[in-house]
């Protein structure tokens, strides 16, 4: 995936998302002010968090997509994770405020007005969210962007959220007054759960968590498949933004010439680059077999990736 193509797709996704969420915010604000629904307020709060998160992602992605420079030799990809931690704290605070509002309304329920307006606004919000999810799925397919993938999962959850608000308003319309605050509290729980999920993923990113086991196994299999490679050990992986970093040791015959050993490393690197559609940064160390005759305490065999 070329940098320009990657940048085009992730920015397109962010712009489409902000336009759709802006439309939803306008409609939900009108519906909340008109009906006084706590569930609609919860849905509005979630949309405000959505556009804040998307705007932050849009700005941060611009920075994260910058190429490596003299001060940041590994690139700027971790900026996405830092923004994620900020978003998680913001969303958690909003979830707590909404929970307090829902609990207060639970003890002091009120009859909602203009319920049908809330129904139509919820249907409109579901339609807008479907557009967002469709575009994001396409972008993830082309870029495998972690930020857009996380956003997509969040908006798929929003489909359920908007459907819940729709049910709450309909129940309140038929006289079930406690449905509105109960669903508002449920929305608050949803926001808190999402904030925890975002914080955990961001922390994994910042702490250089290894790539998934299936990807690590694929890296090992590809490197080991080369005819001149007798073994692979000490595989280390991590991801920073759009770049996947891979380090490994290749075990080669003692009698290979330096130029041939260098070519083997280049060939393995090329094979790995073809495996991953995202950008990869590969560092390979070459070990002659005789050096590995007496394994050191830190040496890992083929079965230990």
């Amino acid at each position: 995936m070329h940098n320009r193509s990657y940048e085009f797709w992730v920015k397109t996704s962010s712009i489409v998302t902000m336009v759709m969420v802006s439309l939803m915010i306008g409609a939900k604000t009108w519906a909340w002010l008109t009906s006084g629904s706590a569930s609609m307020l919860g849905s509005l709060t979630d949309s405000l968090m959505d556009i804040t998160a998307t705007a932050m992602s849009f700005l941060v992605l611009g920075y994260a997509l910058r190429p490596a420079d003299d001060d940041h030799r590994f690139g700027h990809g971790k900026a996405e994770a830092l923004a994620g931690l900020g978003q998680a704290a913001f969303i958690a605070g909003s979830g707590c405020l909404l929970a307090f509002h829902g609990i207060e309304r639970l003890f002091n329920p009120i009859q909602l007005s203009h319920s049908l307006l809330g129904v139509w606004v919820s249907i409109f919000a579901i339609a807008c969210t479907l557009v967002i999810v469709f575009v994001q799925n396409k972008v993830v397919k082309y870029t495998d962007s972690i930020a857009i993938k996380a956003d997509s999962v969040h908006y798929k959850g929003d489909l359920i959220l908007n459907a819940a608000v729709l049910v709450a308003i309909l129940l309140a319309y038929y006289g079930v007054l406690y449905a509105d605050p109960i669903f508002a509290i449920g929305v608050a729980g949803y926001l808190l759960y999402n904030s925890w999920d975002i914080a955990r993923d961001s922390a994994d990113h910042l702490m250089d968590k290894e790539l998934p086991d299936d990807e690590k196994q694929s890296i090992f299999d590809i490197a080991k498949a080369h005819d001149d490679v007798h073994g692979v050990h000490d595989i280390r992986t991590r991801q920073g933004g759009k770049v996947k970093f891979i380090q490994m040791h290749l075990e080669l015959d003692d009698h290979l010439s330096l130029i041939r050993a260098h070519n083997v490393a280049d060939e393995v690197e090329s094979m790995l680059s073809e495996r991953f559609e995202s950008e990869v940064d590969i560092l390979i160390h070459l070990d002659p077999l005789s050096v590995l005759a007496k394994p050191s305490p830190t040496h890992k065999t083929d079965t230990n990736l």
Side-chain angles (χ1 to χ4, degrees):
M1 176 64 59
H2 298 295
N3 288 341
R4 286 186 177 180
S5 180
Y6 186 99
E7 183 175 352
F8 168 78
W9 283 112
V10 296
K11 287 187 175 181
T12 297
S13 174
S14 297
I15 292 171
V16 169
T17 301
M18 285 193 288
V19 170
M20 291 293 104
V21 177
S22 295
L23 292 174
M24 285 191 282
I25 287 173
K28 289 178 181 180
T29 300
W30 176 37
W32 170 60
L33 292 175
T34 303
S35 69
S37 167
S39 292
M40 183 58 69
L41 174 60
S43 184
L44 171 60
T45 301
D46 183 62
S47 292
L48 289 171
M49 297 306 100
D50 288 344
I51 197 167
T52 300
T54 300
M56 289 178 65
S57 295
F58 182 77
L59 295 174
V60 171
L61 277 170
Y63 180 79
L65 289 171
R66 292 181 183 179
D69 54 34
D70 290 340
D71 292 327
H72 304 88
R73 300 303 295 272
F74 292 97
H76 303 79
K78 286 189 177 182
E80 292 184 33
L82 290 173
L85 289 177
Q87 292 171 17
F90 195 43
I91 293 172
S94 299
C96 290
L97 290 175
L98 180 60
F100 292 142
H101 179 77
I103 292 171
E104 189 275 334
R105 185 62 63 83
L106 190 63
F107 289 101
N108 299 288
I110 64 172
Q111 181 69 46
L112 300 183
S113 59
H114 301 85
S115 296
L116 289 179
L117 173 62
V119 170
W120 286 111
V121 168
S122 295
I123 293 173
F124 174 72
I126 290 172
C128 290
T129 307
L130 284 171
V131 172
I132 292 171
V133 170
F134 175 79
V135 172
Q136 288 180 334
N137 283 343
K138 290 291 184 181
V139 173
V140 169
K141 179 180 178 182
Y142 288 123
T143 67
D144 198 32
S145 167
I146 294 176
I148 302 300
K149 190 181 296 183
D151 228 20
S152 180
V153 171
H154 176 71
Y155 281 106
K156 287 174 183 175
D158 279 1
L159 288 173
I160 300 174
L161 171 64
N162 287 306
V165 172
L166 180 61
V167 172
I169 293 175
L170 287 173
L171 288 174
Y173 179 74
Y174 287 105
V176 186
L177 299 183
Y178 289 106
D180 183 53
I182 288 174
F183 273 88
I185 295 171
V187 172
Y190 166 81
L191 290 173
L192 291 171
Y193 172 80
N194 272 276
S195 68
W196 166 253
D197 204 37
I198 293 170
R200 183 183 58 190
D201 289 344
S202 298
D204 286 343
H205 208 58
L206 290 170
M207 295 299 292
D208 293 333
K209 184 178 180 180
E210 290 279 338
L211 296 180
D213 288 341
D214 60 329
E215 292 191 16
K216 289 187 66 180
Q217 186 62 50
S218 179
I219 291 169
F220 173 81
D221 293 340
I222 290 171
K224 190 68 167 55
H226 194 285
D227 292 338
D228 289 320
V229 175
H230 293 274
V232 184
H233 63 273
D234 286 350
I235 296 178
R236 296 181 179 182
T237 61
R238 66 183 179 90
Q239 184 155 354
K242 62 185 174 64
V243 183
K244 294 180 178 180
F245 294 89
I246 302 170
Q247 299 179 16
M248 69 179 69
H249 289 230
L250 299 182
E251 301 166 17
L252 306 179
D253 191 277
D254 288 20
H255 304 294
L256 281 184
S257 65
L258 178 60
I259 187 63
R260 178 54 190 156
H262 173 79
N263 289 338
V264 169
D266 282 349
E267 290 163 8
V268 170
E269 183 174 339
S270 177
M271 293 162 63
L272 289 170
S273 296
E274 292 177 2
R275 161 63 176 80
F276 296 98
E277 294 184 2
S278 59
E279 185 177 336
V280 290
D281 187 304
I282 304 170
L283 179 63
I284 297 176
H285 180 81
L286 305 176
D287 288 329
L289 284 173
S290 61
V291 174
L292 302 172
K294 297 180 179 180
S296 66
T298 59
H299 173 67
K300 296 182 179 180
T301 62
D302 291 347
T303 56
N304 296 317
L305 302 183

